[in-house]
Amino acid sequence: MEPTAGSPGLPALRLLCHERSLLSPPSPSPLRWLVGAPRFLPPFTVAAALRSLHGDPDLPREADEIRGLLPRGFDIVGALLVGGGGEGSSGADASSRALELARSLRQRLFGEAASHGMVGGCMDAATGEIRFVASESGESKAVEGSEVVWEDEPGKLLWEKGCLLRCVLPLKLPLYVPADEVSGIEERFSSLIESTVAKLREPHVSYLVEGPITSPEESPRSIILHGDNLSSVSHLPHNESTKRCSPNVVSCSEFFSAKRCNLSLTRENADAIQITVLSNQSVSSSKAGITPVIEYYPAPAPASLSVINLKLDILCYSSVDFPVAAAVSELVIPGLADQMRIMKKVIASELTQQPQLSPYHFIPPGLPIPVTTIYDSRYGEIEEKQSALRRDLHIRLGLPLDRPLLRISNTLTFGGMRKKEKNASRSGSSLLRDVHREIPSSGVSSGIISLIDGSYEYYHYLHDGIDDNGWGCAYRSLQTIVSWYRLQQYTSIDVPSHSQQTLTSSQQLFLTREIQQTLVEIGDKDPSFIGSREWIGAIELSFVLDKLLGVSFYSFSIFLCGWRTNVSCKIINVRSGDELPEKCRELAMHFETQGTPVMIGGGVLAYTLLGVDYNEASGDCAFLILDPHYTGADDMKKIVNSGWCGWKKSVDSKGRSFFLKDKFYNLLLPQRPNMV
């Protein structure tokens, strides 16, 4: 138990997940499975919550699906009923019922009762108040809890003292089936999987353990562990002398730089200890120096041969102080066995078709822990079967249903420093992001601020080594808008550039010359326009999208990363800059519901609009402008202080107009695609 001040001897519930992850978005079931890491985190610590998808619940289905989703090292530590336990039930009854459900699920997941503390609780959906009971072990008597603590930095406890291990293991398994035993093929396949699982601990199997490369100056630490001595070493003495004489007591922390104190996890770069499975068949020879011999066993009857291809890819979570040999024995090998058995269930029903199963790892926004999904690569990502699977995963993980957070392009990137450098070069991560977060208030009295929802990159004049000063502002605004779609994970395409050397042929449509060529082809411009530095605006860009991508004035599709991302778009026209404040209510609704950056074009200038501050009663308003006309270095302080990103009023305190009275303006409002 973890006593708390004022409540001696009573358990406290510690939540690393956000309160909103338990409440929103709404789900059909009120049941939340509470996930922790009881071997490595303090008792009654909840790292994440998963929603129940199946009925009352259907525990066998819940266990089968959660087993493949959670990396080993994470475990079920309880359950929570949001909104109570049903009509007529008290809080204590609901909490006890939740605890029993959690115990039953955990038993199905691992085949044994939990030895760690577990909790059951109920949460008032209106107030967020949680009442719970807790037991020190899976079957001990439950007592009422005393306090609920919400952590301000949910990822800190998980990743400052924790780490990931990853093992990728491709397998080709020969399945022999006698011609007269076709009906027993599933049983033989099951036996083949179980025999493969057993071999993971045989003497001829070894495990190469390598740390990530976290800086160019260092080489990764590596050791080899042998299958015949991979017994549990959790309780071996841990000191310098034993570490020197045996790799079995080397802790996971030894594989990370001594200077690295924060093992935080990001999608772009996830550091993990890499585990490679090796097989040395000569170890099984009975005499030293004897060359292995190939033995031939003729089949007693005609048989067919099928080769089952499995691609295993697992993650495990461990404390950095945990011996790496124990992590391999107690986390990695059981994790490989779990994934093989999960794939067996899918493949057994379609042995003649052989599903092409591939595991992928994600850490979507709002979820502190990584999860693993298995997709069948026979189906494209936009096919109904894959979309339905992702939708169910979104519901279970409490993710929004209007953004593609679990597509293959959004998987975790592993590989240490080498991968990090590659990603930085490819993604343009050196660009400034979310410049507006440093902006002071707008000065609108009692106004309501409505802002862009998500991240973007700031593109302006002279980026990419291209001198587009005086004519490229609309193109730069387009780059910022595309960066928003990329960073919100609607696509993995690189942001389009003026520079032809950095673009693939499929991206050439975004090039200045290609846009100009299209405008000539549709009759909007004369042939002399091609190669010029003439300015274009929102309407011209709509013409280009209509020609190349089937875009209308009110809806269009962008072909991004191999699939068509359906994007609705609205265009607002005003006859004068003086009329823009009249559109503030409509713009505020756009940012509240869509959250995408808006392109403003008027006269010979283009801007990117990131938000509005609007007082509906007085009509006072301000526009948050990201100005692409900036030509200096990417200095956040200079950009903000000089007003290149800042709040602009239609008419400032000195009577100066930001938007020109004698120019018309067109606003391009991209909509957020409704997709998973």
Side-chain angles (χ1 to χ4, degrees):
M1 294 288 182
E2 188 177 64
T4 59
S7 306
L10 295 179
L13 181 62
R14 189 179 194 180
L15 291 119
L16 308 185
C17 53
H18 293 290
E19 182 178 358
R20 64 177 179 270
S21 70
L22 300 175
L23 295 171
S24 63
S27 62
S29 171
L31 184 60
R32 309 288 187 263
W33 302 117
L34 304 181
V35 177
R39 295 189 66 169
F40 310 115
L41 298 178
F44 311 117
T45 298
V46 176
L50 306 178
R51 280 98 186 290
S52 171
L53 294 184
H54 304 294
D56 201 19
D58 184 339
L59 289 178
R61 289 186 67 184
E62 290 287 305
D64 284 346
E65 294 176 11
I66 292 174
R67 184 179 294 110
L69 197 63
L70 286 182
R72 278 277 180 159
F74 292 108
D75 205 330
I76 298 298
V77 296
L80 187 71
L81 287 164
V82 176
E87 188 176 349
S89 63
S90 67
D93 290 341
S95 297
S96 297
R97 178 170 179 261
L99 178 58
E100 288 307 313
L101 286 171
R103 286 171 170 172
S104 299
L105 178 68
R106 207 276 175 187
Q107 173 86 30
R108 288 185 176 274
L109 275 172
F110 298 102
E112 60 184 10
S115 59
H116 56 264
M118 299 194 75
V119 300
C122 60
M123 182 178 191
D124 188 307
T127 65
E129 181 184 1
I130 294 176
R131 296 180 61 186
F132 70 98
V133 296
S135 63
E136 289 187 354
S137 62
E139 299 297 334
S140 66
K141 183 179 179 181
V143 298
E144 189 171 350
S146 64
E147 183 182 4
V148 176
V149 179
W150 298 89
E151 290 291 334
D152 294 331
E153 300 179 81
K156 186 174 182 180
L157 181 63
L158 276 170
W159 301 112
E160 281 192 348
K161 297 298 184 181
C163 66
L164 290 178
L165 297 93
R166 184 190 186 204
C167 182
V168 178
L169 177 59
L171 293 172
K172 291 182 180 291
L173 305 180
L175 178 61
Y176 294 93
V177 181
D180 58 351
E181 292 187 22
V182 178
S183 60
I185 187 171
E186 290 187 20
E187 184 178 344
R188 286 180 173 270
F189 178 51
S190 179
S191 176
L192 175 63
I193 292 294
E194 293 306 317
S195 66
T196 304
V197 168
K199 289 177 181 178
L200 293 173
R201 296 186 185 275
E202 290 187 352
H204 68 271
V205 175
S206 298
Y207 295 86
L208 172 63
V209 183
E210 298 178 287
I213 301 175
T214 56
S215 70
E217 297 80 21
E218 66 181 43
S219 299
R221 170 77 186 272
S222 63
I223 61 171
I224 292 180
L225 303 169
H226 300 288
D228 55 352
N229 57 12
L230 270 182
S231 57
S232 176
V233 291
S234 304
H235 304 293
L236 286 178
H238 188 72
N239 54 53
E240 289 301 318
S241 60
T242 54
K243 281 195 292 184
R244 284 194 295 268
C245 67
S246 173
N248 284 359
V249 291
V250 174
S251 69
C252 293
S253 62
E254 297 294 315
F255 294 87
F256 295 96
S257 168
K259 298 178 182 179
R260 187 176 176 88
C261 60
N262 187 347
L263 300 175
S264 60
L265 192 64
T266 62
R267 184 176 70 87
E268 290 81 6
N269 187 74
D271 289 338
I273 297 173
Q274 298 293 135
I275 312 294
T276 304
V277 183
L278 308 173
S279 179
N280 182 6
Q281 296 297 328
S282 63
V283 172
S284 61
S285 301
S286 58
K287 296 182 180 180
I290 300 298
T291 303
V293 176
I294 298 176
E295 299 184 52
Y296 171 64
Y297 298 95
S304 62
L305 168 64
S306 297
V307 177
I308 309 297
N309 293 293
L310 298 181
K311 179 191 174 184
L312 307 181
D313 187 345
I314 66 153
L315 290 181
C316 300
Y317 174 78
S318 170
S319 163
V320 292
D321 298 323
F322 200 55
V324 72
V328 171
S329 177
E330 300 171 23
L331 301 175
V332 174
I333 293 177
L336 291 171
D338 284 345
Q339 199 166 89
M340 270 191 269
R341 290 169 180 144
I342 291 166
M343 291 184 174
K344 177 190 70 176
K345 287 189 174 184
V346 179
I347 295 173
S349 61
E350 297 186 72
L351 271 173
T352 56
Q353 300 290 329
Q354 271 218 41
Q356 299 169 19
L357 303 179
S358 298
Y360 298 96
H361 309 296
F362 300 89
I363 183 161
L367 194 69
I369 68 173
V371 293
T372 300
T373 66
I374 299 177
Y375 294 151
D376 189 341
S377 58
R378 292 179 301 171
Y379 302 101
E381 289 201 300
I382 61 173
E383 292 190 40
E384 184 176 350
K385 187 169 183 177
Q386 290 288 70
S387 296
L389 172 60
R390 285 198 305 273
R391 182 180 177 83
D392 284 347
L393 288 168
H394 274 242
I395 294 172
R396 185 177 291 284
L397 298 173
L399 302 175
L401 297 176
D402 62 352
R403 57 197 71 182
L405 303 177
L406 299 178
R407 292 205 178 208
I408 294 172
S409 60
N410 304 322
T411 54
L412 285 174
T413 300
F414 296 91
M417 196 66 195
R418 287 166 293 188
K419 201 81 172 184
K420 188 183 300 183
E421 291 171 350
K422 180 180 178 181
N423 286 347
S425 173
R426 183 178 53 119
S427 67
S429 59
S430 60
L431 293 169
L432 293 178
R433 290 188 185 180
D434 307 332
V435 183
H436 71 286
R437 299 190 188 281
E438 303 295 326
I439 303 298
S441 62
S442 69
V444 174
S445 177
S446 302
I448 296 176
I449 297 177
S450 304
L451 296 175
I452 184 174
D453 178 17
S455 293
Y456 60 88
E457 292 172 327
Y458 180 27
Y459 286 85
H460 55 78
Y461 281 166
L462 306 186
H463 263 312
D464 309 318
I466 300 298
D467 184 2
D468 56 349
N469 192 352
W471 61 274
C473 51
Y475 303 107
R476 297 304 187 178
S477 182
L478 176 64
Q479 286 179 309
T480 293
I481 291 172
V482 173
S483 77
W484 183 91
Y485 280 98
R486 181 182 182 280
L487 292 174
Q488 270 48 250
Q489 305 181 32
Y490 287 105
T491 179
S492 63
I493 193 174
D494 290 344
V495 173
S497 167
H498 282 302
S499 173
Q500 280 191 327
Q501 287 98 344
T502 63
L503 293 180
T504 64
S505 59
S506 65
Q507 296 165 329
Q508 296 299 317
L509 62 93
F510 286 104
L511 285 170
T512 303
R513 188 176 185 87
E514 292 293 321
I515 294 174
Q516 293 174 339
Q517 177 69 42
T518 301
L519 291 171
V520 171
E521 289 176 0
I522 65 175
D524 182 67
K525 301 291 183 183
D526 294 328
S528 60
F529 177 66
I530 298 176
S532 72
R533 296 189 171 190
E534 188 174 334
W535 183 90
I536 63 172
I539 296 297
E540 285 88 350
L541 289 181
S542 296
F543 289 155
V544 173
L545 292 168
D546 184 37
K547 168 67 176 178
L548 297 179
L549 304 169
V551 177
S552 70
F553 284 105
Y554 294 97
S555 66
F556 61 85
S557 297
I558 303 178
F559 191 77
L560 297 179
C561 196
W563 69 80
R564 294 185 74 86
T565 298
N566 295 320
V567 179
S568 299
C569 177
K570 294 181 180 179
I571 294 179
I572 298 176
N573 309 106
V574 295
R575 292 170 296 179
S576 164
D578 281 348
E579 296 181 7
L580 274 170
E582 299 173 12
K583 303 298 180 180
C584 264
R585 182 184 290 105
E586 189 173 351
L587 290 170
M589 181 61 66
H590 167 82
F591 287 113
E592 293 296 333
T593 60
Q594 305 301 320
T596 64
V598 172
M599 177 186 173
I600 300 179
V604 293
L605 299 175
Y607 303 101
T608 305
L609 180 65
L610 303 178
V612 294
D613 190 354
Y614 179 52
N615 183 322
E616 189 169 1
S618 67
D620 192 15
C621 64
F623 302 83
L624 184 54
I625 297 293
L626 183 69
D627 196 335
H629 304 92
Y630 175 64
T631 58
D634 282 350
D635 183 328
M636 181 82 77
K637 186 176 181 180
K638 179 180 179 182
I639 290 167
V640 171
N641 291 344
S642 301
W644 293 103
C645 182
W647 290 102
K648 310 292 182 183
K649 289 196 171 185
S650 180
V651 178
D652 65 17
S653 58
K654 297 181 180 180
R656 295 173 299 191
S657 297
F658 183 77
F659 300 111
L660 304 177
K661 297 180 181 180
D662 59 345
K663 300 295 182 182
F664 66 87
Y665 285 83
N666 296 306
L667 288 75
L668 194 67
L669 282 65
Q671 309 292 284
R672 183 189 295 272
N674 187 10
M675 59 191 294
V676 295

